[in-house]
């Protein structure tokens, strides 16, 4: 499934973004965001941008606000600061 591959970084991000462009965005979540391994900052930004407004991706129950805020910050790092400071802030919550 393309959404699963996006969340888990199982395929190149540009290929996944192209595949997602062909999908109609659902309003019912069909996948949950979870944490994964280490990746570089540019990849994190592109990944977060690809999932930020998808309604078919569910955020972890009970943590929706912090995950949504963090995904937004990761997708838009310029106003928030460098990735390492965003990650430190998230780890503190």
């Amino acid at each position: 499934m393309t959404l699963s591959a996006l969340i888990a970084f199982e395929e190149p991000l540009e290929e996944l973004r192209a595949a997602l462009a062909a999908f109609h965005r659902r309003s019912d979540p069909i996948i949950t965001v979870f944490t994964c391994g280490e990746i570089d900052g540019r990849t994190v930004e592109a990944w977060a941008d690809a999932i930020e407004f998808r309604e078919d991706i569910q955020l972890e129950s009970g943590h929706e606000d912090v995950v949504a805020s963090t995904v937004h910050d990761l997708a838009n790092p310029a106003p928030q600061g460098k990735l390492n400071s965003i990650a430190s802030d998230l780890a503190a919550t």
Side-chain angles (χ1 to χ4, degrees):
M1 171 182 265
T2 303
L3 287 175
S4 295
L6 173 64
I7 298 302
F9 280 98
E10 294 175 343
E11 297 180 31
L13 187 55
E14 289 308 312
E15 290 178 22
L16 292 168
R17 290 179 73 134
L20 288 171
F23 287 109
H24 173 70
R25 291 184 182 210
R26 299 172 46 133
S27 60
D28 301 331
I30 58 173
I31 192 166
T32 301
V33 172
F34 57 92
T35 60
C36 60
E38 295 180 23
I39 50 177
D40 66 76
R42 277 184 259 167
T43 303
V44 170
E45 181 180 349
W47 171 82
D49 185 60
I51 68 167
E52 184 174 15
F53 294 110
R54 295 201 61 92
E55 294 175 354
D56 49 359
I57 297 176
Q58 180 176 352
L59 305 179
E60 184 179 359
S61 180
H63 302 283
E64 295 90 349
D65 291 343
V66 72
V67 174
S69 176
T70 300
V71 168
H72 172 77
D73 290 351
L74 293 172
N76 305 282
Q80 306 303 326
K82 296 195 179 289
L83 178 60
N84 58 354
S85 72
I86 296 169
S88 296
D89 293 346
L90 176 60
T93 60

